[in-house]
Amino acid sequence: MKQLLPRAWLTRGWLACLLWPLAQVHGLLVRLRLLMYRSGLLPSERFRVPVIVVGNVVAGGAGKTPLVISLVRHLQAQGLAVGVLSRGYGRSGQGSLEVRPETPINESGDEPALIRRATDAPVFVARKRPEALRSLLAAYPASTVVVCDDGLQHYALQRDIEIAVFDDRGVGNGWLLPAGPLREPWPERQRQGLDLVLHTGQQPAFEGFTSSRQLADHAQTADGRQIALSALRGRPLVALAGIASPESFFGMLRTRGLTLAKTIPLPDHHDFEHEDLSAYTGQTVLCTEKDAVKLFAIPGLAGLELLAIPLVFSPEPAFFVALDALLRPKLSQLPSEHGHQTT
């Protein structure tokens, strides 16, 4: 029987094929932009401390922030003074700002606030990463390494180590935006300086390091009290999530034996308001840590039990071995006043 449609239409979808010309233009612009930065036609700044960039090649969240938190804790355990940079997606301003415990979420963004709370490391946000790094080093001159949350495609900041994060989507249909999910050509991007690939899902689509993610054994209240998840079993619960993949959070809750009477999937970085929860007065509402940094700040929610469930994220040990091997030579080049010695 004669094939009526081109093979690409069958394997990638008719809409993706209609958008393919735009994806080709996107690819040309991406390559041209990278060439202009590497040739010096566009300015790119290098700083005196090693910079580790954690980012996505695919659009949407893939687990960058949990990895950043894990990286910062790993480096802190080695006695390194770690700083963090972020654009602060969804924040009201664009200039450089240090994220403090008292900083309003609309000024910092939810992910920078979560990183600050989880690591106690200095976190600076700015639309332009070099501006954020200048502010960080001015305030914390003894910093020995900087981790940049997102920014893989922001070449105005030179980096020493690049880490790309993938979830179970892999590279999708393999096409660039808008015909597919890719921000940059793959695997071409892998050959252009990318150092490490980490998969955060359960089914890696190609070679790279793996990781595990599971919920903690407890939930946490706004005042820091912990409640065992086992104590919540058998109760009808409401669960909400304003993250890239809400269903993954709901699935992990069910895996822990919890009964979800209602689930509320919301867009990533959702701006919560009192009305989002007013209908659940008298009930127990579960959320992610990322959502909690916004929800716990909303006044007048005393009528319900709001609990955040921490995520335990762990890259495989070999990932940290590879990271340390890449970072060690960079640290050995730091001036002596940083007070760090490599072994």
Side-chain angles (χ1 to χ4, degrees):
M1 180 176 179
K2 185 177 180 180
Q3 184 174 306
L4 298 179
L5 292 174
R7 182 175 299 276
W9 282 56
L10 297 174
T11 58
R12 285 178 168 137
W14 64 269
L15 181 58
C17 291
L18 289 177
L19 294 172
W20 181 80
L22 293 177
Q24 293 298 101
V25 174
H26 180 198
L28 290 174
L29 293 175
V30 166
R31 293 179 178 93
L32 177 61
R33 181 171 172 270
L34 178 58
L35 178 63
M36 292 177 70
Y37 271 112
R38 292 190 168 176
S39 65
L41 293 175
L42 290 177
S44 182
E45 295 186 59
R46 174 166 292 282
F47 289 80
R48 57 179 174 80
V49 294
V51 174
I52 303 171
V53 173
V54 179
N56 286 346
V57 175
V58 294
K64 296 185 308 296
T65 301
L67 174 57
V68 168
I69 292 171
S70 183
L71 277 176
V72 172
R73 289 172 173 168
H74 171 76
L75 297 171
Q76 288 174 329
Q78 300 180 53
L80 297 173
V82 190
V84 179
L85 310 179
S86 176
R87 179 178 181 178
Y89 182 88
R91 61 186 291 252
S92 56
Q94 295 188 353
S96 183
L97 172 74
E98 180 177 5
V99 180
R100 307 288 299 173
E102 66 275 7
T103 303
I105 299 300
N106 68 314
E107 296 180 13
S108 67
D110 49 11
E111 289 170 343
L114 175 58
I115 294 168
R116 174 66 174 80
R117 179 177 299 180
T119 66
D120 202 33
V123 178
F124 280 74
V125 293
R127 186 177 67 86
K128 298 181 178 179
R129 270 70 170 193
E131 183 180 343
L133 185 44
R134 277 192 292 273
S135 297
L136 188 151
L137 293 177
Y140 300 90
S143 299
T144 50
V145 62
V146 169
V147 178
C148 185
D149 181 25
D150 208 356
L152 199 60
Q153 291 80 33
H154 294 270
Y155 300 111
L157 175 63
Q158 294 188 29
R159 64 289 308 271
D160 298 274
I161 299 173
E162 289 187 330
I163 304 172
V165 182
F166 290 88
D167 58 15
D168 279 335
R169 294 173 296 163
V171 295
N173 64 8
W175 283 1
L176 288 166
L177 294 167
L182 292 177
R183 297 175 177 178
E184 300 180 274
W186 188 269
E188 179 181 332
R189 181 62 177 87
Q190 192 172 20
R191 300 189 292 267
Q192 295 174 337
L194 195 64
D195 297 289
L196 301 171
V197 171
L198 182 76
H199 297 280
T200 61
Q202 301 300 312
Q203 298 176 331
F206 46 87
E207 186 178 357
F209 294 101
T210 60
S211 59
S212 64
R213 52 192 302 155
Q214 61 183 10
L215 297 179
D217 293 328
H218 65 274
Q220 193 162 316
T221 64
D223 59 7
R225 292 185 297 109
Q226 293 185 358
I227 299 175
L229 289 190
S230 58
L232 301 176
R233 291 177 185 152
R235 296 166 53 178
L237 305 166
V238 176
L240 61 82
I243 57 176
S245 179
E247 292 301 330
S248 64
F249 176 62
F250 303 149
M252 285 192 287
L253 291 172
R254 294 188 179 100
T255 299
R256 300 303 295 268
L258 302 183
T259 302
L260 304 185
K262 183 176 181 61
T263 58
I264 309 170
L266 297 165
D268 197 12
H269 303 284
H270 179 71
D271 290 325
F272 292 96
E273 298 179 356
H274 187 276
E275 290 72 21
D276 289 320
L277 295 176
S278 59
Y280 306 106
T281 299
Q283 301 184 54
T284 299
V285 178
L286 309 181
C287 68
T288 69
E289 287 181 293
K290 177 176 167 179
D291 295 319
V293 298
K294 293 180 178 178
L295 290 169
F296 284 159
I298 298 177
L301 295 181
L304 56 82
E305 185 180 28
L306 181 61
L307 302 175
I309 315 296
L311 178 70
V312 180
F313 177 82
S314 303
E316 64 171 304
F319 170 81
F320 286 123
V321 172
L323 173 72
D324 292 342
L326 291 169
L327 183 58
R328 194 174 299 114
K330 311 296 182 182
L331 293 173
S332 66
Q333 299 171 16
L334 287 174
S336 58
E337 59 265 24
H338 281 268
H340 175 73
Q341 296 181 346
T342 57
T343 56

